[in-house]
Amino acid sequence: MSIGEVLALLQGEFPDVSISKIRFLEGEGLIEPERSPSGYRKFTYADVERLRYILSEQRDRYLPLRVIKDRLEAADREERPVARPRALPGEPAPEVRLSREELLAAAELDEETLAELEDYGLLSAVARHYDAEALAVARSVGALAAFGLHARHLRAVRAAAEREAGLVEQAVAPLLRRRAPGAIDRADETAREISGLLLDLHASLLRSGVRDALGR
């Protein structure tokens, strides 16, 4: 298949994929399509499935490319096909788009708690619906409430997250200013990787702080 045919196969499931994205993944060594004598890329169905795996892991698990590449290389060494992270291969991941009532039911929250979350800026609706991140926040806050921690106690967490997002934005700003092909994809991947590293650092510092607080 040509790169255009591959794009047509993938865009139904991954609307944001582009030819530049596929070329970027090739440049990073995650896919290696064959070349015709005239230099055109030639993709097989195995290449398409490999691309589906990469795009799924990025979209559904927010994994950085370096982690995905390590997993692909491990699969290659064992000469086994990559497994897509879904129970039903080929079925698109459903978009999370919940009404207010659906969010309350899914997160097992009451209306007062949800209103408090919105008042403190911990989550918000987009076009009167809530996405996967809003659901994750609602569920986490609901679980923390069992320990006496409520939305008003979590403003410091929100403030820390906003500061960390600012660090990521600062780091990728030079990449976004470039006009070279693949600059946006490279900025997106860099943002994912920095975010993962910040999460690891945050978790380590939190564990250390709790240990010190307990005198252990």
Side-chain angles (χ1 to χ4, degrees):
M1 289 171 281
S2 69
I3 194 169
E5 292 171 321
V6 171
L7 185 64
L9 286 174
L10 294 174
Q11 278 189 321
E13 185 174 354
F14 305 98
D16 295 331
V17 72
S18 63
I19 287 178
S20 64
K21 173 74 171 182
I22 296 172
R23 288 173 175 165
F24 171 75
L25 294 173
E26 180 186 359
E28 294 297 307
L30 281 88
I31 55 171
E32 296 181 5
E34 294 181 6
R35 294 275 184 165
S36 68
S38 55
Y40 290 104
R41 294 171 178 83
K42 296 169 58 179
F43 293 84
T44 66
Y45 282 105
D47 292 326
V48 175
E49 283 306 303
R50 193 177 181 96
L51 280 166
R52 282 198 174 108
Y53 174 82
I54 295 165
L55 296 170
S56 295
E57 291 287 77
Q58 280 193 306
R59 181 192 64 191
D60 302 336
R61 299 191 181 186
Y62 306 100
L63 293 181
L65 284 184
R66 59 182 175 81
V67 174
I68 299 173
K69 187 175 182 180
D70 288 344
R71 295 184 177 186
L72 288 170
E73 289 175 348
D76 291 342
R77 286 194 299 270
E78 297 171 13
E79 298 183 351
R80 59 179 172 82
V82 291
R84 299 180 64 191
R86 281 202 276 275
L88 297 176
E91 181 181 358
E95 179 186 3
V96 176
R97 191 170 183 268
L98 304 175
S99 67
R100 192 174 188 85
E101 292 72 23
E102 290 170 336
L103 178 67
L104 291 171
E108 299 182 354
L109 291 181
D110 55 50
E111 177 64 41
E112 182 180 357
T113 301
L114 178 54
E116 187 179 22
L117 290 177
E118 292 177 318
D119 288 343
Y120 285 106
L122 291 169
L123 61 78
S124 60
V126 177
R128 304 180 71 175
H129 286 85
Y130 300 86
D131 61 12
E133 295 299 333
L135 176 58
V137 169
R139 283 175 168 167
S140 296
V141 174
L144 288 168
F147 300 94
L149 296 174
H150 301 281
R152 64 182 180 277
H153 302 122
L154 302 175
R155 285 178 291 182
V157 177
R158 175 176 174 268
E162 289 178 344
R163 288 194 295 270
E164 291 172 4
L167 291 175
V168 176
E169 182 180 2
Q170 178 182 342
V172 302
L175 295 175
L176 291 173
R177 287 194 291 267
R178 297 177 184 173
R179 298 189 179 276
I184 293 177
D185 291 327
R186 189 172 298 278
D188 178 67
E189 172 57 23
T190 300
R192 290 174 185 271
E193 185 158 0
I194 295 173
S195 298
L197 293 170
L198 286 173
L199 285 171
D200 291 343
L201 175 61
H202 185 94
S204 297
L205 292 174
L206 179 60
R207 286 193 294 268
S208 178
V210 170
R211 187 172 59 247
D212 292 343
L214 296 176
R216 300 178 63 180

